[in-house]
């Protein structure tokens, strides 16, 4: 389904603030398969960020040595960011759950765009980021993309320490 894009997301400065202010991220649709994007992002966040990372998947018990929760409602805290790796049609439901538990931001991964989910989240007081990867954005803002051979635009040889 191709959706007309009318929603306007946060600027780079606003995305940086969202990532800097966050202390916890819940990955909805987390996978234990290393070939999946959610697993790659989880590995990066666990090794290269200060976030408490939670995994949401109703059929798994453990991912990367961490417990997996069946739903957002089962988490021990409301995460600052709900990072969704789900099918397009599931995203409005994820948005509703994120609002219900008191998350601060709904983040739809690279390739995910759902204006209904964005409207639900924003009506519930959440910030929304769509069609952006948390790993790429975090690495881009913190000088980490050079590890994969990308030009970060950072002119310093010193890596930033801030989260």
């Amino acid at each position: 389904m191709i959706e007309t894009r009318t929603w306007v997301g946060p600027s780079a400065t606003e995305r940086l603030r969202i990532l800097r202010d966050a202390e916890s991220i819940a990955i909805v649709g987390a996978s234990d398969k290393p070939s999946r994007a959610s697993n790659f992002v989880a590995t990066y966040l666990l090794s290269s960020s200060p976030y408490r990372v939670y995994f949401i998947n109703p059929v798994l018990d453990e991912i990367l040595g961490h417990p997996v929760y069946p739903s957002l409602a089962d988490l021990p805290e409301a995460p600052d960011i709900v990072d969704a790796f789900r099918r397009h049609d599931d995203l409005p439901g994820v948005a509703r759950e994120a609002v219900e538990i008191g998350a601060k931001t709904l983040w739809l991964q690279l390739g995910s765009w759902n204006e209904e989910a964005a409207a639900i989240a924003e009506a519930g007081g959440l910030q929304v980021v769509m069609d952006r990867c948390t790993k790429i954005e975090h690495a881009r803002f913190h000088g980490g993309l050079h590890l994969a051979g990308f030009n970060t635009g950072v002119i310093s040889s010193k890596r930033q320490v801030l989260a």
Side-chain angles (χ1 to χ4, degrees):
M1 171 185 189
I2 297 176
E3 187 170 2
T4 303
R5 294 186 174 200
T6 59
W7 179 85
V8 177
S11 67
T13 301
E14 292 166 324
R15 291 190 311 275
L16 172 59
R17 183 188 43 72
I18 289 168
L19 291 171
R20 283 209 172 145
D21 290 349
E23 295 179 4
S24 59
I25 296 180
I27 299 176
V28 177
S31 174
D32 58 354
K33 295 176 177 62
S35 62
R36 296 284 176 100
S38 64
N39 191 279
F40 183 73
V41 169
T43 300
Y44 170 83
L45 291 174
L46 289 170
S47 67
S48 301
S49 80
Y51 305 125
R52 291 182 304 281
V53 180
Y54 298 104
F55 301 114
I56 310 300
N57 187 316
V59 298
L60 297 174
D61 295 322
E62 183 179 293
I63 296 174
L64 300 170
H66 294 265
V68 178
Y69 299 88
S71 72
L72 289 170
D74 295 310
L75 292 175
E77 67 174 309
D80 295 314
I81 298 173
V82 171
D83 191 4
F85 288 85
R86 296 295 307 270
R87 294 179 311 134
H88 178 83
D89 294 341
D90 294 337
L91 295 173
V94 173
R96 284 184 199 92
E97 287 182 57
V99 169
E100 288 170 9
I101 64 161
K104 295 178 183 172
T105 301
L106 174 66
W107 193 298
L108 305 185
Q109 271 301 312
L110 202 56
S112 292
W113 189 275
N114 189 306
E115 297 209 10
E116 179 186 358
I120 291 166
E122 287 178 337
L126 277 67
Q127 301 168 98
V128 177
V129 177
M130 292 197 287
D131 197 19
R132 300 257 178 201
C133 175
T134 50
K135 183 257 181 247
I136 291 171
E137 292 293 284
H138 184 274
R140 178 169 81 99
F141 292 133
H142 299 93
L145 279 182
H146 67 286
L147 297 174
F150 295 97
N151 179 2
T152 65
V154 175
I155 303 178
S156 171
S157 62
K158 200 171 189 182
R159 179 179 270 176
Q160 285 186 351
V161 179
L162 297 174

